[in-house]
């Protein structure tokens, strides 16, 4: 089961974009007004990260996922899925940061 509820046409469109088009599309998703737009924002920024490995895009996805989850009522049936998305994004961000730190420590100092 796909965790994101993004329609197939939209994901196909995003996957068909080059990196510059994808980043431009992501920028257009700023200030989402409803749950569907929030989810598209999170998906798009995580996909930009997947494509480019630029951690700031994953950070944007995590920040939006945190806000989205925090605003979700406890009784909302979608809360568990939103938490799963937040957890998935946060875990990916933590792993990426740890790998970056490990890589920095693996580089021998030049004298």
């Amino acid at each position: 089961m796909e965790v994101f509820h993004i329609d197939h046409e939209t994901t196909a469109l995003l996957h068909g974009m080059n990196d510059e088009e994808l980043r431009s599309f992501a920028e257009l998703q700023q200030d989402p007004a409803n749950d569907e737009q929030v989810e598209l924002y999170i998906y798009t920024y995580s996909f930009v990260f997947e494509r480019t490995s630029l951690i700031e895009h994953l950070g944007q996805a995590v920040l939006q996922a945190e806000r989205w989850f925090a605003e979700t009522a406890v009784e909302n049936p979608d809360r568990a899925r939103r938490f799963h998305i937040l957890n998935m994004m946060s875990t990916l961000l933590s792993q990426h940061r740890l790998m970056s730190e490990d890589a920095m420590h693996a580089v021998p100092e030049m004298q």
Side-chain angles (χ1 to χ4, degrees):
M1 179 179 124
E2 180 64 39
V3 68
F4 286 99
H5 292 171
I6 308 294
D7 66 79
H8 178 70
E9 291 173 358
T10 302
T11 58
L13 175 72
L14 293 173
H15 287 261
M17 292 179 178
N18 65 37
D19 291 351
E20 186 176 326
E21 292 169 330
L22 189 57
R23 281 194 295 266
S24 294
F25 181 84
E27 289 175 12
L28 292 173
Q29 304 310 306
Q30 298 292 329
D31 302 319
N34 59 45
D35 286 338
E36 291 80 20
Q37 291 175 358
V38 170
E39 190 162 1
L40 181 58
Y41 177 99
I42 296 166
Y43 179 85
T44 302
Y45 272 87
S46 64
F47 185 57
V48 172
F49 166 74
E50 187 179 308
R51 276 269 193 92
T52 66
S53 297
L54 296 172
I55 196 161
E56 62 265 16
H57 298 293
L58 182 58
Q60 288 296 110
V62 169
L63 288 174
Q64 187 64 55
E66 287 172 345
R67 287 190 293 266
W68 193 38
F69 178 74
E71 295 171 357
T72 305
V74 174
E75 64 275 0
N76 187 320
D78 204 33
R79 186 174 171 86
R81 186 180 70 85
R82 292 178 188 189
F83 179 76
H84 181 67
I85 290 171
L86 171 58
N87 189 48
M88 186 175 64
M89 296 289 111
S90 297
T91 300
L92 187 58
L93 182 61
S94 294
Q95 289 172 343
H96 187 73
R97 285 182 176 156
L98 285 173
M99 288 188 307
S100 295
E101 288 176 15
D102 287 347
M104 285 181 14
H105 294 302
V107 175
E109 289 187 35
M110 297 183 55
Q111 297 181 341

